[in-house]
Amino acid sequence: MRDTWLIFRHNTRITLRNKFAILITAAQPLFFLVLFGPIFATFGTWETLVPGLIIQLGLLSAGMAGFGVVFDWRSGVLERLRVTPAGRLPLLLGRVLNNTFTLVVQTVLLVAVAYLIGLRAPLLGVLGAMALVVVLGVSLAALSHAAAMRLNEHLFAPVMMTAVWPLMLLSGTFLPMSMAPQWLGTLSYVSPFRYVLEAMRELFAGTYASGVVAVGVLVVALFAAISLTVGTRVFSRDNA
């Protein structure tokens, strides 16, 4: 725990020194919120759109967290960490928790702006969705770090962006998948983000004890367990 805290604190200090980078990552969902939101609100609701933008933010922020590993690899930081007494799991968890902290800050900013322009979701529902965001952030960051350790440094960005956009669209980020053609709706069930997003939308609508929420919680918990297992094994092996 001590090593994890030290790594988290060190990386968080670096993150907070570069506040502009936090805003840049959140810029795209914020643009969608401000520019697309008023159009969407003419036939949908803010409580439907905002959870989708949170998923988009998670994929763009925590999902691309492996860039930090790429930069550390180039600068020799990973080589220096190998000779420290810190365990390999704390080295990963400290980074992952920092990425999740960044995602939470960005999500709070997004929701705050959404409230200013029309969102009326209950506070309890938003807090429940934030809990899902934390688990989702840990999952995505762990997988992203694993991908960064395995992929060529020049391939990481194009491969991850190629994966992010289909996952984003299949989750129903911008429009509920109930509006999609049957074949596309069926395909979307492969993505864990669909279940998490549907649970968030239920929570934003003020529905807490429902099967949709329960399934979303179960899926994100399983996704986290798998992601952390994969991330830990890859990080430990490549930093042995």
Side-chain angles (χ1 to χ4, degrees):
M1 287 297 294
R2 179 178 178 275
D3 291 340
T4 300
W5 167 250
L6 290 175
I7 297 296
F8 167 74
R9 187 176 63 180
H10 171 71
N11 284 279
T12 301
R13 285 176 176 172
I14 295 175
T15 299
L16 293 178
R17 287 195 201 109
N18 192 9
K19 299 179 180 64
F20 184 68
I22 298 178
L23 293 175
I24 284 296
T25 307
Q28 190 172 104
L30 283 170
F31 282 142
F32 273 103
L33 177 68
V34 175
L35 301 178
F36 177 64
I39 300 174
F40 186 89
T42 62
F43 60 88
T45 65
W46 292 101
E47 290 74 26
T48 299
L49 176 64
V50 175
L53 296 179
I54 292 174
I55 293 293
Q56 180 192 30
L57 178 59
L59 286 166
L60 292 174
S61 181
M64 304 301 290
F67 269 119
V69 173
V70 173
F71 294 143
D72 286 351
W73 190 281
R74 290 175 179 174
S75 62
V77 172
L78 286 182
E79 291 293 333
R80 291 193 293 271
L81 286 175
R82 285 177 175 175
V83 299
T84 66
R88 299 306 178 235
L89 179 59
L91 290 176
L92 173 64
L93 289 181
R95 291 169 174 270
V96 166
L97 291 176
N98 170 64
N99 302 137
T100 304
F101 168 77
T102 302
L103 175 59
V104 169
V105 171
Q106 293 168 329
T107 303
V108 169
L109 174 62
L110 179 69
V111 172
V113 174
Y115 269 113
L116 291 176
I117 61 178
L119 178 66
R120 294 297 179 265
L123 179 59
L124 183 59
V126 172
L127 292 176
M130 289 298 296
L132 293 179
V133 168
V134 170
V135 182
L136 186 64
V138 169
S139 308
L140 286 169
L143 281 182
S144 184
H145 285 301
M149 296 295 294
R150 286 299 187 185
L151 293 173
N152 179 283
E153 61 181 277
H154 302 293
L155 291 177
F156 176 77
V159 168
M160 293 303 289
M161 289 305 298
T162 301
V164 160
W165 280 101
L167 288 171
M168 193 183 301
L169 295 173
L170 284 175
S171 69
T173 296
F174 302 112
L175 293 172
M177 293 308 297
S178 58
M179 302 175 64
Q182 184 176 358
W183 70 270
L184 191 57
T186 301
L187 182 61
S188 72
Y189 282 108
V190 177
S191 170
F193 306 109
R194 169 171 182 162
Y195 304 96
V196 181
L197 176 53
E198 289 180 346
M200 284 187 182
R201 283 175 171 156
E202 288 278 294
L203 293 169
F204 268 64
T207 303
Y208 310 122
S210 73
V212 173
V213 174
V215 170
V217 171
L218 178 61
V219 168
V220 78
L222 289 174
F223 184 51
I226 294 171
S227 300
L228 285 172
T229 300
V230 171
T232 300
R233 288 183 177 178
V234 170
F235 206 80
S236 297
R237 186 180 300 119
D238 289 3
N239 282 283

